[in-house]
């Protein structure tokens, strides 16, 4: 790729301002390739233009609903100059737009034309297919020959695999379709690429003999310039502190369950078990599962806000007619054990061999000093004499207490039933604070919604990661990533990064501020260590590994196919098999492209005229230039 007069096309499936990995990383790759290639070479970024205005509004937002591809291109170039620090490269780089549509059921963008037809045959030199399986799943009808496809039209095709779509299909509940997606992805990647670069070892094998595992992504230069956060600069010094605008622990990314939020909730429960409280966390981002995840952290809302369902309600007025307990012991004990009550008095009555009548007569016939046998005197004597036990008083006391107990039991049963009904309704309906207290059927979307204690998580929406300078701990429990860009960005900002021991994270194991855990308990231990300590500052050699300069060097090296590798694959018949797969797939047709105009990007007119005047020196007109180019699919 560093040879002169190369024509390199970086083709991807998304474009800014949709902030997704397949929009940002290909743009940066094109910019840095523009910086690294020979001055006589040109790099073109090929991105989708959503022909439907509603699609643009949905993905880019109302403020970025561009009327033309030129307007969107100006936005992209401005972003490249300001946010990526590539002002010179953004002016030199070409941009080519292809018409596309957004399929909401896939959550992805698909081309509506055969992209090969948009690139002149004379310029079809090197193609970098970002997500080659995504670009080729749905074959679009074209006027090209059935034998004219990526690997036959271009001299060298490099496929960079970003996403494990088979895993995502299983996570989304399409377990039956997932194997088919995996098979089709393997076939098109093998058929249309000379070299396959997998970002991490978590991806399955697509094309044995022509695939390598290498992280060819980097982070923007602004991340490498941010100083390391400390306990003083971090907004929360302890897990229970929640006084500031930002917490020391955070997550940033797409809000879908596949990002490991169930694991994060399990970590919260273990942390509370060990320390007595949850740790506060800020969550940045948006996504289709945002509401469900928020309810899983905070629990379901109260049944009826501002209203208490109880005996004062109109439909329960009959319970108000029940007599209230007015004895001192009931008021004091509320149905619990009363140490002031003489329980021995009742036991002595029932242990006495005399009948209740005989005991009463005996007590009434007991002589007194003034021979007063009135009932008032007998009651006074009973109260003063501990050995005296009046069975009638005891029975009356039992009667009163039985009535009081029955009332209390009725109230308790009612309260239990009422709370049970409220809990059942709260688990299946959402109540609205309006005049008629209407409700809608809203069953729990996860078991975590039924929690009794809310987790102190703050959902702060979408935000640029580079602005989170005061936080110091990035918790990313995701197991669905191929290579997480936000993890690399947090490492570049000298933050603690707490990640699972997983194949997708192997590149990050070499960094001292990467705290790798193997279990939930280990994750809690790493969190406690990170809270109590400051992250180390990365040395220059490790910081360079995270830069796009180093990533571009790794990409150029990894894209090379040695002549020996090509010869071995030819001897095994693998190249012929790949050509057969490509031919069969080129015969298929999923939809027609339609008559869409394609907008080529800004290019200096004097540059174009100069190239036209080059004559024999021009790469486009000099067939002999092919002698200086390596054979198709061979060493660059």
């Amino acid at each position: 790729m560093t040879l002169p007069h190369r024509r390199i096309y970086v083709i991807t499936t998304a474009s800014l301002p949709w902030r997704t990995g397949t929009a940002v990383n290909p743009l940066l790759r094109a910019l840095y390739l523009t910086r690294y290639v020979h001055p006589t070479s040109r790099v073109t970024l090929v991105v989708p233009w959503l022909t439907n205005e509603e699609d643009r509004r949905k993905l880019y937002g109302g403020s970025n609903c561009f009327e033309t591809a030129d307007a969107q291109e100006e936005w992209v170039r401005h972003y490249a100059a300001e946010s990526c620090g590539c002002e010179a490269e953004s002016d030199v780089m070409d941009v080519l737009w292809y018409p596309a549509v957004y399929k909401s059921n896939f959550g992805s963008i698909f081309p509506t034309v055969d992209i090969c037809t948009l690139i002149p045959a004379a310029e079809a030199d090197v193609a970098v297919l970002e997500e080659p399986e995504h670009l080729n799943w749905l074959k679009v009808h074209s006027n090209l020959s059935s034998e004219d496809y990526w690997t036959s039209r271009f001299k060298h095709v490099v496929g960079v695999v970003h996403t494990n779509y088979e895993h995502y299909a299983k996570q989304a509940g399409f377990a039956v379709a997932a194997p088919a997606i995996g098979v089709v992805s393997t076939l098109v990647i093998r058929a249309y690429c000379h070299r396959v670069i997998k970002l991490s070892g978590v991806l399955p094998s697509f094309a044995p003999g022509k695939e390598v595992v290498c992280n060819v992504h980097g982070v923007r230069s602004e991340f490498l310039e941010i100083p390391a956060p400390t306990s003083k600069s971090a907004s929360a010094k302890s897990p229970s502190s929640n006084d500031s605008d930002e917490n020391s622990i955070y997550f940033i990314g797409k809000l879908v369950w596949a990002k490991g939020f169930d694991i994060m909730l399990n970590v919260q429960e273990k942390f509370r078990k060990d320390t007595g409280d949850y740790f506060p966390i800020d969550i940045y981002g948006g996504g289709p599962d945002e509401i469900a995840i928020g309810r899983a952290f905070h629990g379901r809302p109260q049944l009826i806000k501002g209203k208490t369902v109880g005996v004062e309600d109109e439909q329960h007025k009959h319970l108000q007619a029940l007599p209230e307990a007015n004895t001192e012991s009931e008021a004091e004990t509320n149905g619990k054990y009363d140490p002031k009550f003489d329980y021995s008095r009742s036991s002595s009555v029932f242990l006495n061999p005399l009948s209740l009548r005989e005991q009463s007569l005996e007590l009434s016939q007991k002589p007194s000093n003034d021979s007063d046998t009135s009932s008032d005197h007998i009651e006074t004597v009973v109260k003063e004499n501990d050995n005296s036990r009046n069975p009638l008083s005891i029975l009356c006391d039992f009667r009163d207490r039985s009535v009081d107990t029955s009332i209390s039991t009725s109230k308790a049963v009612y309260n239990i039933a009422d709370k049970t009904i409220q809990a059942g309704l709260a688990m299946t309906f959402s109540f609205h604070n309006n005049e008629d207290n209407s409700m809608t059927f809203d069953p729990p979307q996860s078991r975590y919604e039924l929690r009794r204690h809310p987790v102190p998580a703050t959902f702060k929406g979408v935000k640029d990661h580079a602005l989170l300078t005061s936080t110091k701990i990035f918790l990313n429990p995701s197991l669905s990533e191929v290579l997480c860009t936000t993890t690399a960005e947090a490492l570049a900002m000298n933050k603690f990064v707490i990640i699972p021991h997983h194949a997708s994270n192997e590149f990050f194991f070499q960094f001292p501020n990467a705290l790798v855990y193997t279990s939930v308990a280990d994750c809690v231990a790493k969190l406690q260590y990170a809270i109590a300590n400051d992250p180390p500052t990365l040395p220059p050699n490790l910081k360079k590994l995270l830069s796009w300069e180093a990533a571009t060097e790794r990409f150029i090296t990894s894209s090379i196919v040695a002549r020996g590798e090509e010869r071995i694959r030819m001897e095994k018949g693998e190249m012929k098999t790949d050509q057969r797969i490509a031919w069969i797939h080129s015969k298929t047709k999923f939809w027609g492209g339609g008559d869409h105009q394609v907008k080529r990007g800004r290019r200096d007119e004097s540059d174009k005229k100069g190239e036209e005047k080059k004559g024999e020196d021009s790469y486009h007109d000099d067939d002999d230039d092919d002698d200086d180019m390596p054979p198709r699919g061979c060493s660059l």
Side-chain angles (χ1 to χ4, degrees):
M1 289 189 185
T2 55
L3 294 175
H5 304 297
R6 306 310 304 256
R7 297 295 181 267
I8 303 170
Y9 288 83
V10 180
I11 306 159
T12 187
T13 57
S15 174
L16 290 168
W18 191 19
R19 293 181 183 273
T20 182
T22 49
V24 177
N25 290 314
L27 169 63
L28 286 162
R29 192 179 330 280
L31 291 169
Y32 279 87
L33 281 173
T34 301
R35 180 181 298 181
Y36 270 77
V37 297
H38 194 275
T40 60
S41 300
R42 297 202 71 91
V43 178
T44 302
L45 177 66
V46 185
V47 285
W49 163 250
L50 294 174
T51 55
N52 188 295
E53 183 179 349
E54 288 301 316
D55 291 343
R56 298 197 299 272
R57 191 178 302 276
K58 183 185 298 182
L59 296 185
Y60 306 149
S63 60
N64 291 320
C65 188
F66 307 101
E67 293 295 329
T68 63
D70 285 337
Q72 187 170 355
E73 181 179 332
E74 289 300 322
W75 194 99
V76 172
R77 290 185 185 277
H78 181 267
Y79 178 89
E82 297 296 325
S83 298
C84 303
C86 299
E87 184 175 359
E89 291 79 8
S90 66
D91 288 336
V92 176
M93 177 187 71
D94 286 338
V95 178
L96 175 64
W97 298 89
Y98 64 85
V101 294
Y102 175 73
K103 296 293 182 180
S104 57
N105 52 340
F106 289 96
S108 300
I109 296 174
F110 293 95
T112 57
V113 298
D114 189 344
I115 302 175
C116 279
T117 63
L118 309 182
I119 301 170
E123 293 189 12
D125 182 12
V126 178
V128 179
L129 304 184
E130 307 279 353
E131 292 200 316
E133 73 280 38
H134 187 164
L135 286 166
N136 294 285
W137 274 334
L138 305 181
K139 177 65 179 176
V140 183
H141 175 70
S142 71
N143 296 324
L144 289 179
S145 167
S146 60
E147 296 182 358
D148 202 357
Y149 38 83
W150 291 111
T151 48
S152 63
R153 189 174 180 84
F154 284 81
K155 295 180 174 62
H156 191 62
V157 181
V158 181
V160 182
V161 186
H162 292 240
T163 309
N164 190 348
Y165 282 106
E166 184 175 357
H167 179 81
Y168 265 104
K170 291 177 181 178
Q171 288 279 346
F174 301 105
V176 177
I181 292 174
V183 170
V184 174
S185 298
T186 299
L187 291 176
V188 295
I189 289 174
R190 177 176 179 177
Y192 295 134
C193 298
H194 294 119
R195 169 65 84 198
V196 178
I197 300 177
K198 301 191 299 184
L199 295 180
S200 72
V202 74
L203 289 166
S205 179
F206 298 108
K210 59 179 179 180
E211 64 183 20
V212 295
V213 177
C214 183
N215 173 19
V216 294
H217 287 173
V219 300
R220 305 197 311 261
S221 57
E222 61 183 308
F223 287 101
L224 299 169
E225 298 167 0
I226 297 174
T230 63
S231 295
K232 293 181 180 180
S233 62
S235 56
K237 295 183 180 180
S238 65
S240 60
S241 174
N242 200 21
D243 299 331
S244 59
D245 293 336
E246 293 181 352
N247 292 303
S248 62
I249 306 171
Y250 75 101
F251 170 86
I252 187 169
K254 193 174 183 180
L255 299 189
V256 293
W257 282 108
K259 295 295 185 181
F261 285 99
D262 53 340
I263 301 174
M264 190 182 296
L265 287 163
N266 292 334
V267 171
Q268 286 277 9
E269 295 299 334
K270 176 62 176 173
F271 193 92
R272 182 172 182 265
K273 183 179 179 181
D274 291 352
T275 65
D277 201 0
Y278 297 117
F279 59 86
I281 184 170
D282 290 337
I283 297 177
Y284 297 90
D289 296 336
E290 181 175 357
I291 295 176
I293 292 170
R295 286 164 56 163
F297 275 84
H298 298 154
R300 292 180 67 83
Q302 295 297 320
L303 180 60
I304 301 178
K305 294 183 178 180
K307 182 180 179 184
T308 304
V309 178
V311 295
E312 67 273 12
D313 288 348
E314 188 69 27
Q315 64 268 34
H316 302 309
K317 276 189 175 180
H318 65 281
L319 288 176
Q320 297 180 8
L322 292 174
E324 296 291 335
N326 53 10
T327 62
E328 183 180 355
S329 60
E330 178 68 21
E332 291 177 352
T333 64
N334 195 21
K336 299 180 181 180
Y337 174 78
D338 182 7
K340 298 179 180 179
F341 179 67
D342 187 3
Y343 292 94
S344 64
R345 185 172 66 173
S346 59
S347 61
S348 65
V349 170
F350 290 101
L351 289 174
N352 196 318
L354 298 177
S355 66
L356 294 176
R357 181 174 179 276
E358 290 172 341
Q359 291 184 56
S360 298
L361 289 173
E362 181 183 4
L363 184 62
S364 63
Q365 293 173 1
K366 186 174 181 180
S368 60
N369 295 334
D370 55 2
S371 301
D372 186 0
T373 58
S374 64
S375 60
D376 293 340
H377 177 73
I378 292 174
E379 185 177 355
T380 302
V381 171
V382 169
K383 290 182 178 180
E384 293 177 350
N385 190 348
D386 291 340
N387 295 325
S388 299
R389 299 292 183 264
N390 189 338
L392 294 178
S393 298
I394 293 171
L395 289 178
C396 291
D397 187 60
F398 275 148
R399 180 202 64 189
D400 294 339
R401 286 181 173 273
S402 298
V403 172
D404 293 341
T405 302
S406 299
I407 295 172
S408 300
T409 303
S410 299
K411 289 183 178 180
V413 171
Y414 161 72
N415 288 331
I416 292 173
D418 191 57
K419 292 294 184 183
T420 302
I421 294 172
Q422 290 186 48
L425 290 174
M427 285 190 294
T428 53
F429 291 90
S430 289
F431 288 77
H432 308 289
N433 293 324
N434 49 28
E435 294 180 357
D436 57 353
N437 288 322
S438 61
M439 58 184 181
T440 56
F441 183 66
D442 184 22
Q445 300 181 32
S446 69
R447 62 182 177 88
Y448 301 102
E449 286 188 29
L450 307 180
R451 63 172 58 256
R452 296 180 60 187
H453 305 287
V455 175
T458 306
F459 291 81
K460 298 195 170 185
V462 178
K463 192 171 184 179
D464 192 338
H465 198 179
L467 301 178
L468 305 180
T469 57
S470 62
T471 57
K472 73 166 186 173
I473 304 170
F474 176 50
L475 175 60
N476 184 14
S478 176
L479 298 175
S480 63
E481 307 286 353
V482 174
L483 186 80
C484 187
T485 302
T486 53
T487 298
E489 291 171 349
L491 287 170
M493 290 191 285
N494 295 285
K495 298 179 185 289
F496 276 127
V497 171
I498 301 178
I499 51 177
H501 194 284
H502 190 251
S504 62
N505 293 322
E506 285 183 358
F507 177 79
F508 306 126
F509 292 171
Q510 59 188 309
F511 296 91
N513 49 344
L515 305 181
V516 183
Y517 66 86
T518 56
S519 64
V520 171
D522 191 25
C523 182
V524 171
K526 296 293 194 297
L527 267 172
Q528 292 175 315
Y529 172 82
I531 291 169
N533 295 276
D534 290 334
T537 301
L538 290 180
N541 62 319
L542 289 180
K543 273 209 169 187
K544 183 182 178 181
L545 291 178
L546 297 169
S547 66
W548 265 103
E549 286 85 353
T552 304
E553 292 173 1
R554 293 193 297 266
F555 172 76
I556 292 173
T557 303
S558 299
S559 64
I560 295 174
V561 178
R563 296 183 186 275
E565 293 180 60
E566 198 78 4
R567 184 172 57 253
I568 292 173
R569 297 193 74 253
M570 188 177 296
E571 292 173 354
K572 290 182 177 181
E574 293 176 352
M575 292 185 66
K576 184 174 288 188
T577 301
D578 295 347
Q579 292 170 358
R580 288 173 180 168
I581 295 172
W583 183 84
I584 293 171
H585 187 261
S586 66
K587 289 290 186 181
T588 63
K589 175 186 174 183
F590 289 92
W591 59 41
D595 297 329
H596 294 292
Q597 266 196 339
V598 178
K599 175 66 182 174
R600 290 194 70 100
R602 180 175 68 194
R603 191 170 179 179
D604 188 23
E605 292 298 327
S606 62
D607 233 9
K608 293 180 182 177
K609 293 178 181 178
E611 286 186 4
E612 291 174 359
K613 293 178 180 179
K614 284 182 181 178
E616 294 182 355
D617 294 332
S618 172
Y619 168 78
H620 304 290
D621 300 327
D622 188 1
D623 294 332
D624 293 335
D625 278 345
D626 288 342
D627 297 335
D628 297 329
M629 308 291 282
R632 296 182 187 272
C634 290
S635 173
L636 298 180

